[in-house]
Amino acid sequence: MPTASTERSRPQRVRWLLIGVIIFVLAVVAGRFLATRFIPVAEPSIPPPTPTPTATTLADLTAPTCLDAPLTELPDEFAPVDCAGLHRTELVAQVPIAEALELEDKYERPRDKPLSAHAMLACQQADAFAEVSDERLAQVEIVAVWPTKKQWQKGMRDYACFVTADTPWQGAFNE
């Protein structure tokens, strides 16, 4: 038979055990709180972004240069993208206008009519299209661009030959 002192000590032990568990839980919570407040946590390692090429003018482009959007109208500035990724437009060739039109005076800008009359022919005869299949050519639109008067004054003397499509492709057009 238990004695009176033993009966009293059991509830006291349970009470002290509960107090100990509560103190332990509060210590863990306080430790977590203080650790997140005062101990610096390492940021997750994020790779640096790949540099985006800056916008450039038509006169600054060289073949091959890829663009994200289809070429529906000629913008003042172009934002090149990596040709290894998906793109919808690519500058595939630059044909010297003086050679295409057999100009004697390479410094005077021809009128728009002869420029436009020979632009597509000059682009289609460019080396960039020499080994491209008819099936591949059927997937794109060829766009020939010639310099404006202002661009001519700045020294641009080439037809810019682009291929463009609504459906993006990856890699160089003539691969």
Side-chain angles (χ1 to χ4, degrees):
M1 176 171 236
T3 62
S5 64
T6 312
E7 285 180 16
R8 281 189 227 150
S9 65
R10 189 175 286 169
Q12 284 180 342
R13 278 188 266 165
V14 170
R15 187 177 323 140
W16 283 112
L17 181 64
L18 284 175
I19 291 172
V21 169
I22 291 172
I23 290 173
F24 176 76
V25 170
L26 289 174
V28 169
V29 170
R32 284 261 197 194
F33 174 77
L34 292 174
T36 59
R37 285 282 182 158
F38 300 109
I39 299 174
V41 178
E43 292 290 323
S45 177
I46 299 172
T50 50
T52 304
T54 57
T56 186
T57 65
L58 180 60
D60 297 327
L61 297 180
T62 57
T65 297
C66 297
L67 307 168
D68 186 35
L71 195 62
T72 54
E73 62 180 53
L74 200 60
D76 291 332
E77 289 189 335
F78 297 86
V81 297
D82 185 4
C83 288
L86 290 174
H87 56 280
R88 291 188 172 107
T89 300
E90 185 176 335
L91 173 65
V92 293
Q94 290 160 298
V95 180
I97 291 171
E99 291 175 21
L101 295 180
E102 298 177 7
L103 294 180
E104 291 186 25
D105 183 0
K106 296 180 182 182
Y107 300 103
E108 186 177 328
R109 183 182 183 274
R111 295 177 185 242
D112 281 328
K113 193 168 187 175
L115 281 172
S116 66
H118 291 89
M120 189 57 70
L121 182 60
C123 283
Q124 289 171 343
Q125 292 176 344
D127 290 341
F129 297 103
E131 296 183 23
V132 177
S133 69
D134 291 340
E135 180 182 322
R136 182 74 176 123
L137 281 173
Q139 297 171 355
V140 297
E141 179 183 350
I142 300 173
V143 178
V145 178
W146 54 92
T148 63
K149 290 176 184 176
K150 189 175 184 180
Q151 291 166 333
W152 189 276
Q153 290 170 347
K154 289 183 178 182
M156 186 176 167
R157 301 283 193 278
D158 297 333
Y159 287 115
C161 306
F162 292 92
V163 289
T164 188
D166 290 330
T167 305
W169 71 90
Q170 200 167 2
F173 168 75
N174 55 2
E175 286 183 341

